[in-house]
Amino acid sequence: MELFFHYRDKDITYEELIEDINKTKEIEKYIYEQDPYEILKKLIISIINGNQITLLDSDFSVEEIKKLGVSEVELEKSYENKEKVENMDDLFGKIEKNKDIWELTLYTSGTTGRPKKVIHKLDTVARSVKKSEEFKDNVWGFAYNPTHFAGLQVFFQAFLNRNPMIYIFDENRKEIEGKLKKYNVTHISATPTFYRTIIPYIKSPIESIQRITTGGEKYDEALENTLKKSFPNAKIRNVYASTEAGSLFSAKGEIFKISDRIKDKIRIDENNELLIHKSLLGQSETFKLENDWYKTGDIVQKIDEDHFKFVSRKSEMINIGGYKVNPHEVETEIKKIENVLDALVFGRKNKITGNILAAQISLKENVNTKEMEQKIVNQLRNKLQEWKIPRIISFVDQIKLTRTGKKVRK
Amino acid sequence: MENKIKEIINIVLEKNNKETVKELNKELSLRDDLGMDSLDLAELTVRIEDEFGVDIFEDGIVDKVGEIIEKISKR
C-alpha cells in the first residue's frame, strides 16, 4: 500500500491512515497539537464529518491563545467521529459529500495587533490544487508548518492526488538530504529561508526533484542559482499566496502572471496597490473591503495587462523568514515589562531570513541595561512565538517621534 | 578582529541559551557545531555588519567560522 506520510522515523501508509481514522473516537474542535501526522489525521476526520474546526499553531503560548478570544472551555470541546471509512475511494467520496459543510478557521497576523480570524471552505483552502493522473507519481517534501496556510496547500495537493508526503519541516537538517534521496522526492514547496537553511547540508545534487516552489518572501536571484546546483533537474517557481485568499499567482523569476481564470478578479489601483475581489477570499469579519475589493497592502509594478512584479508592502508588517510579525503586538508586550517606558520594534534586513526584529527601548532611570536585555528576552519567550522576539535590542533615552507624533519605524 | 568575532558569536549563543565557545576554531560549523538556527544566523550577520560593515551572507551560503574571517579580511 502506498505511503501517506513519513516523519521522524515513521512511515504511515494510506491504509494505516484509514485504520487510524476508524480508531479515532473524537477530535478536538481546536486542534492545538505538535505531532504533524495527528494534525493532518484530525483535519481529514473533520472533513469527512463536516465539522467546523480551528487550527492553532502548536507554539502559540497560553497568552497568545487568550488574545485570540478562545476560552479554555472552548479549547476543551470536541466532536465525535461518526464516520467509518472503508478505503481510499470511500474516503474521497465522504470528503466530496461534506466539503461544503466543512469549515476551517485559521488565524493570521492582523495589522491592528489582534490576529485576524479567517474561515475557509475546501474551495478556498484547496483552490490551487491540481488533481490529475499526471501527478499520481509525485512525492512531496513537506517543508511548512502544517497549521499554516502554505502547509495546508501542500497537504491538499499531495493528499488529493494520493501522493506520499515526506515531512522535513522541523526534522534534523543533517537527515534531510538522505530522506529526499531515499524517498525519491519530486516536489518541494518551502520559504526561501527554509531552502537557505538546508542547502549547506546537501552534499551532492538531488536528481529526483522536478519542481521547487517558493514564495512568501522577496525573490532572491542568488538563492535561485544556488538551488539549481542542488536540484539540477528542478523547475523553480515563485508563488504569491496569502492566508486571506490562498495561492493566486505564480512566477518564473520575479514576474508574476495573472491567469485568465482570475483575471477579472484582480485589479491594480491608481496607487499601484494589488486588489483582490471578495469572491476569491475566505470569510472574515475583519476584512476591510472597498466596493467588494480587498486591499492586499502589496505595492506592485504593472508590466503589461497580465504581468506584474512586487515592489513593497504598504503595511507595517515585518516578514521574518515568511512569518509576518506585527510590530505593534511585540511593542505592547515589551511595554508590559517592569521598568520599560517605551518601545519601538522594526525589521533589520539580512540575507538569511529577510528581516529580523530589532527593538529600541527606553527605560526608567537607573536600570541596569545588561540585565534588562536578558530579562526582556526571557519574559517575551513565555509570551510570544520565537520569531516575534527582537534579536537586536538597543536602549535609548527617548524613542524618536515624527512631527505628527508617530514613531519613526525604519 | 578574531576576538571581536568570537565575542559577537558568543553574544548570539549565550542570549539564546546555547553553549558558548572558548576558542575560535576556523573549522567550526555555525550550524552543526555551534547549533545556530536561521534566526541565530540572521542575528549574527546583522551584528557583524554593524561592527565590520560587511554582509557575510551577501554572495551565498556561509557555514564555517573561517569563511566569516576571510570575508571580513577581504573588505
Side-chain angles (χ1 to χ4, degrees):
Chain A
M1 184 76 185
E2 318 109 86
L3 182 64
F4 165 63
F5 199 70
H6 166 84
Y7 72 126
R8 287 153 217 167
D9 49 6
K10 289 182 219 170
D11 282 331
I12 294 144
T13 63
Y14 275 96
E15 204 164 49
E16 286 164 327
L17 168 70
I18 289 175
E19 278 172 34
D20 280 348
I21 290 174
N22 289 336
K23 269 191 268 176
T24 305
K25 296 204 167 49
E26 54 182 34
I27 56 161
E28 301 83 7
K29 191 174 170 192
Y30 287 82
I31 299 179
Y32 180 39
E33 165 96 56
Q34 268 187 358
D35 186 311
Y37 169 67
E38 286 294 313
I39 294 171
L40 299 178
K41 184 189 81 184
K42 288 173 183 176
L43 190 69
I44 297 168
I45 295 174
S46 74
I47 308 177
I48 60 175
N49 284 278
N51 298 144
Q52 294 167 359
I53 60 149
T54 300
L55 274 186
L56 298 172
D57 284 5
S58 64
D59 60 351
F60 268 147
S61 69
V62 178
E63 293 260 337
E64 282 171 304
I65 289 180
K66 251 192 235 160
K67 261 198 277 169
L68 305 177
V70 181
S71 68
E72 278 174 42
V73 183
E74 278 290 300
L75 271 182
E76 299 294 316
K77 286 187 181 166
S78 55
Y79 292 114
E80 186 191 344
N81 176 18
K82 293 176 182 155
E83 297 291 335
K84 284 276 174 273
V85 178
E86 283 168 32
N87 53 38
M88 286 306 291
D89 288 333
D90 184 34
L91 179 62
F92 285 120
K94 288 188 160 81
I95 289 175
E96 193 54 37
K97 200 179 105 202
N98 281 309
K99 69 173 191 182
D100 295 327
I101 320 170
W102 180 69
E103 274 181 8
L104 172 68
T105 301
L106 299 173
Y107 285 93
T108 168
S109 341
T111 41
T112 52
R114 202 170 137 179
K116 264 191 293 192
K117 179 177 175 180
V118 185
I119 301 169
H120 286 285
K121 299 262 185 194
L122 195 61
D123 280 347
T124 50
V125 80
R127 181 186 319 111
S128 62
V129 168
K130 295 187 189 112
K131 206 176 147 184
S132 143
E133 206 30 35
E134 76 177 282
F135 303 126
K136 72 176 178 25
D137 297 325
N138 291 357
V139 179
W140 280 86
F142 199 116
Y144 280 113
N145 189 330
T147 61
H148 284 200
F149 200 84
L152 293 169
Q153 308 265 301
V154 172
F155 165 69
F156 282 110
Q157 175 64 37
F159 175 62
L160 296 176
N161 284 290
R162 301 190 197 188
N163 301 146
M165 284 165 257
I166 311 304
Y167 187 72
I168 51 175
F169 176 62
D170 47 13
E171 302 277 272
N172 184 344
R173 287 168 290 188
K174 287 182 205 167
E175 290 174 10
I176 289 177
E177 178 178 7
K179 288 191 177 196
L180 296 177
K181 286 184 173 165
K182 179 180 170 196
Y183 291 96
N184 278 310
V185 170
T186 59
H187 288 63
I188 307 180
S189 177
T191 58
T193 293
F194 180 84
Y195 292 117
R196 283 184 208 112
T197 311
I198 65 162
I199 275 177
Y201 296 91
I202 295 176
K203 303 297 179 202
S204 66
I206 302 178
E207 311 273 344
S208 63
I209 306 284
Q210 298 164 11
R211 186 173 283 256
I212 290 285
T213 305
T214 188
E217 293 169 44
K218 207 169 170 353
Y219 171 74
D220 174 351
E221 197 180 352
L223 176 67
E224 183 160 335
N225 292 330
T226 318
L227 286 171
K228 281 180 189 153
K229 284 182 201 139
S230 297
F231 310 110
N233 299 323
K235 282 186 185 152
I236 300 170
R237 287 287 181 278
N238 227 330
V239 294
Y240 172 93
S242 66
T243 310
E244 294 85 7
S247 184
L248 290 175
F249 317 108
S250 89
K252 201 177 161 187
E254 60 177 338
I255 297 178
F256 285 87
K257 185 178 184 335
I258 303 173
S259 70
D260 289 341
R261 201 162 45 93
I262 55 169
K263 210 171 175 172
D264 53 345
K265 294 178 177 123
I266 302 296
R267 257 179 55 199
I268 296 169
D269 75 5
E270 60 284 2
N271 302 316
N272 290 321
E273 183 170 351
L274 184 74
L275 307 184
I276 298 173
H277 190 258
K278 69 169 186 187
S279 59
L280 290 176
L281 303 175
Q283 275 179 47
S284 175
E285 287 161 10
T286 47
F287 287 153
K288 282 203 195 94
L289 294 177
E290 260 183 40
N291 303 325
D292 295 346
W293 293 85
Y294 172 67
K295 299 178 100 167
T296 59
D298 286 312
I299 305 298
V300 300
Q301 182 191 335
K302 200 167 172 176
I303 310 282
D304 60 33
E305 278 311 304
D306 309 323
H307 297 86
F308 67 89
K309 67 182 189 184
F310 282 96
V311 179
S312 64
R313 285 281 306 165
K314 205 171 123 192
S315 83
E316 293 178 326
M317 303 294 280
I318 302 166
N319 192 331
I320 315 277
Y323 296 113
K324 298 212 176 76
V325 178
N326 178 352
H328 298 283
E329 180 190 358
V330 181
E331 285 167 6
T332 306
E333 288 303 331
I334 296 175
K335 285 192 274 187
K336 285 183 192 161
I337 298 169
E338 204 190 337
N339 289 326
V340 170
L341 283 177
D342 200 359
L344 172 71
V345 169
F346 52 96
R348 287 286 312 267
K349 290 203 175 351
N350 70 82
K351 297 269 171 10
I352 320 279
T353 56
N355 287 286
I356 49 167
L357 280 197
Q360 277 186 359
I361 298 175
S362 61
L363 298 174
K364 290 184 183 152
E365 278 174 37
N366 305 324
V367 180
N368 179 331
T369 52
K370 176 95 178 106
E371 281 171 22
M372 265 315 273
E373 179 165 2
Q374 195 66 50
K375 189 177 157 194
I376 290 167
V377 171
N378 290 345
Q379 293 216 10
L380 294 179
R381 280 214 174 101
N382 296 326
K383 292 185 166 178
L384 297 173
Q385 289 170 291
E386 184 69 23
W387 32 276
K388 293 181 187 166
I389 299 171
R391 287 299 186 121
I392 311 269
I393 293 178
S394 54
F395 293 100
V396 294
D397 291 337
Q398 212 177 0
I399 307 280
K400 277 191 195 142
L401 301 177
T402 62
R403 280 193 300 149
T404 53
K406 282 185 187 160
K407 288 177 183 170
V408 188
R409 212 178 291 284
K410 317 184 169 184
Chain B
M1 174 188 78
E2 293 187 22
N3 269 336
K4 192 70 201 173
I5 296 174
K6 186 174 90 181
E7 193 188 314
I8 294 174
I9 288 177
N10 280 338
I11 288 174
V12 177
L13 292 172
E14 193 181 349
K15 208 158 63 79
N16 300 299
N17 300 325
K18 285 168 185 153
E19 210 177 311
T20 55
V21 289
K22 290 197 179 64
E23 293 276 329
L24 202 60
N25 179 339
K26 289 187 181 175
E27 284 307 304
L28 283 178
S29 154
L30 299 172
R31 297 170 175 86
D32 290 351
D33 301 319
L34 304 181
M36 288 194 175
D37 60 23
S38 54
L39 285 171
D40 298 333
L41 291 169
E43 177 179 343
L44 178 73
T45 169
V46 169
R47 285 182 186 275
I48 288 182
E49 192 170 357
D50 284 350
E51 182 69 30
F52 298 102
V54 179
D55 179 358
I56 52 172
F57 281 89
E58 189 170 38
D59 50 5
I61 309 283
V62 166
D63 191 48
K64 296 268 195 303
V65 167
E67 292 167 336
I68 301 181
I69 297 173
E70 201 182 312
K71 286 244 153 86
I72 296 173
S73 316
K74 270 202 282 187
R75 89 194 131 131

